[in-house]
Amino acid sequence: SASAAVLAAAACICDSDAFQPVRVGGKISATIPTSSNVKSSSAALSPSPLSMVATSPSDAASETSSATPEVVSNLMATQAPPPPFKKVMAANRAEIAVRIVRACIELNMATVAIYGHEDRYSQHRWAPDQSFQIEKDPDATPISAYLDIPQIISIAKKAGVDAIHPGYGFLSESPEFAQACADNDITFVGPTVDNLNTFSDKTSARAAAIAAGVPVVPGSDGALGSAAEVQAFVDEYGLPVIIKAAMGGGGKGMRVIRNMEDVTPFFESASSEAL
C-alpha cells in the first residue's frame, strides 16, 4: 500500500530518479519509490526520502498565471497597511509585555521594553528589539520601577519611541502618565486623559455611572477613609461586603469581608495595595 511504501522509504537510500509522483486529484501528494531503484541499507538513512509534488486539476492544466514577482510585490504593498507607529514601548512586565511586543512585531513595528532589577532574567526583557533597566532605590519595592513616570518617559525619549502601550495594571489607568506622554509628543495607547481622570478613581467612576443612569451594585456613596467607616457601613447593611481600594488596579486591593473581625485587617491590607 501507499502507506507501507512511505514507511519503507524511510529506511532506504534511493537513487535520484527513484521517486515517481502520484497524482491524487488536485492536491499535494507524496511520491513513492519504485521497487527497481530502491537500495536497502542498514548503515544510513535517507535524510529526505519523500518529496512533495503540487498537482493541479486536469481542467486547469491549460491556465497560465500572470502573477510575476513584481505583480505580487505590488499587490502586497497595496493590501498591507503601514504600521501605526515606528517604535512602541511596552510599559509593563512579564506576559503582558510579551503580548504587546509580539503584536507590534506582527505589525512590523520596532519594540522597546523596560524591566526592574528583579525582572532582569524575565522573558519580556529579551523579546523586544531594545530593553532598558529602570533604576530604583535599593529599599524600594519591585513594583515601584514600573510606576516611575519620569524615568519611563526619559527612556522612551532616548530610545526614539513614538508610542507607549501600558498594558493593564500599573500605569494603564494613570491620567498623570497619559498626560506625561502627551507633553512629550508620545502617543499613549489607551483612553484619553479626560476619560482617565473620570474612571481611574473607582469612586468617581461609580459617580459617573450613576449620573449616566447606569445600574450599579449597591454600595457606599463615596470613599470610606477608615476601618471605622467600613464598620459603620457593615453595621447598617450587613455582611458579606467587598471593599476595593479606590486607586487599586489589576484586581489589586480587593477583599471580601464575611466576618466582623476581618473588617479592620482587611481594610488595612486592601489600602496597602492601592497604587
Side-chain angles (χ1 to χ4, degrees):
S1 65
S3 61
V6 170
L7 292 174
C12 299
I13 297 178
C14 308
D15 294 336
S16 60
D17 61 345
F19 293 90
Q20 300 297 327
V22 177
R23 183 183 298 273
V24 184
K27 300 180 180 179
I28 296 175
S29 60
T31 59
I32 303 174
T34 59
S35 57
S36 60
N37 291 321
V38 175
K39 295 182 295 184
S40 178
S41 172
S42 59
L45 297 178
S46 171
S48 56
L50 299 179
S51 64
M52 304 303 290
V53 179
T55 63
S56 58
S58 57
D59 58 354
S62 61
E63 296 180 0
T64 58
S65 173
S66 60
T68 63
E70 292 79 9
V71 172
V72 173
S73 177
N74 293 335
L75 182 61
M76 293 178 64
T78 57
Q79 289 185 342
F85 307 106
K86 293 181 178 179
K87 184 182 284 189
V88 178
M89 171 187 281
N92 214 297
R93 64 176 297 278
E95 58 90 13
I96 303 172
V98 170
R99 290 183 180 187
I100 295 170
V101 169
R102 182 172 59 190
C104 291
I105 292 174
E106 291 176 356
L107 292 172
N108 199 29
M109 296 185 290
T111 53
V112 175
I114 55 175
Y115 64 95
H117 175 75
E118 292 79 6
D119 282 335
R120 61 192 181 279
Y121 301 122
S122 295
Q123 182 181 1
H124 82 272
R125 175 187 176 182
W126 309 106
D129 299 305
Q130 296 174 286
S131 60
F132 300 89
Q133 181 173 342
I134 303 176
E135 303 298 332
K136 62 181 180 65
D137 295 334
D139 57 344
T141 61
I143 194 176
S144 65
Y146 298 96
L147 301 176
D148 191 332
I149 295 177
Q151 192 171 175
I152 292 174
I153 293 295
S154 176
I155 292 173
K157 293 177 65 177
K158 290 178 182 178
V161 166
D162 54 345
I164 295 179
H165 195 311
Y168 57 86
F170 291 145
L171 295 172
S172 63
E173 299 179 16
S174 169
E176 293 80 13
F177 185 47
Q179 186 62 59
C181 290
D183 293 342
N184 289 275
D185 296 323
I186 298 173
T187 299
F188 177 80
V189 182
T192 65
V193 176
D194 288 340
N195 289 152
L196 289 171
N197 278 323
T198 301
F199 292 100
S200 61
D201 181 291
K202 305 302 182 293
T203 305
S204 62
R206 178 182 173 84
I210 294 173
V214 177
V216 298
V217 176
S220 60
D221 294 331
L224 304 180
S226 66
E229 293 183 25
V230 177
Q231 183 72 57
F233 181 88
V234 170
D235 290 340
E236 181 176 357
Y237 295 99
L239 294 172
V241 297
I242 297 177
I243 55 175
K244 166 73 174 176
M247 293 303 294
K252 297 294 185 180
M254 296 181 66
R255 297 292 186 277
V256 179
I257 301 176
R258 294 185 173 88
N259 303 298
M260 296 295 289
E261 59 268 23
D262 292 331
V263 170
T264 298
F266 279 22
F267 176 82
E268 292 174 352
S269 62
S271 300
S272 68
E273 294 181 5
L275 298 179

